[in-house]
Amino acid sequence: MVAAWKGLLAGRPGVRRRTEPEVGGVQKQWDKISKGVNAFDSHYLAVKRMELTGSPSEEDMISAAMARFCGRNV
């Protein structure tokens, strides 16, 4: 994971400074991503538990979850 992170940053200004923390920086980014994914997942599961009319598609379910997620995370 760290090697991939360094590969993405290669050749950019300040790379040495940004890659010094090694795992710490990657872990920090992963924590942010994980928190957001878990928050969205809770909204998606809430939408799935709703008794919706008609037969909503998976895309409809994701759109409804996204609306809930964005409404509460503004």
Side-chain angles (χ1 to χ4, degrees):
M1 192 82 156
V2 172
W5 177 256
K6 286 182 178 182
L8 290 172
L9 295 176
R12 295 184 182 181
V15 169
R16 185 180 186 101
R17 184 182 37 134
R18 291 177 71 185
T19 58
E20 289 297 323
E22 298 282 327
V23 175
V26 175
Q27 183 66 47
K28 188 175 180 180
Q29 292 300 317
W30 173 251
D31 290 344
K32 287 180 185 180
I33 293 167
S34 179
K35 183 179 177 184
V37 168
N38 288 333
F40 179 79
D41 186 51
S42 67
H43 291 290
Y44 178 77
L45 293 173
V47 168
K48 284 193 83 157
R49 286 191 298 267
M50 292 178 176
E51 293 184 22
L52 303 172
T53 59
S55 299
S57 67
E58 186 66 20
E59 186 175 323
D60 295 332
M61 302 292 275
I62 292 172
S63 293
M66 189 62 131
R68 284 177 52 102
F69 177 77
C70 290
R72 295 190 180 164
N73 290 297
V74 174

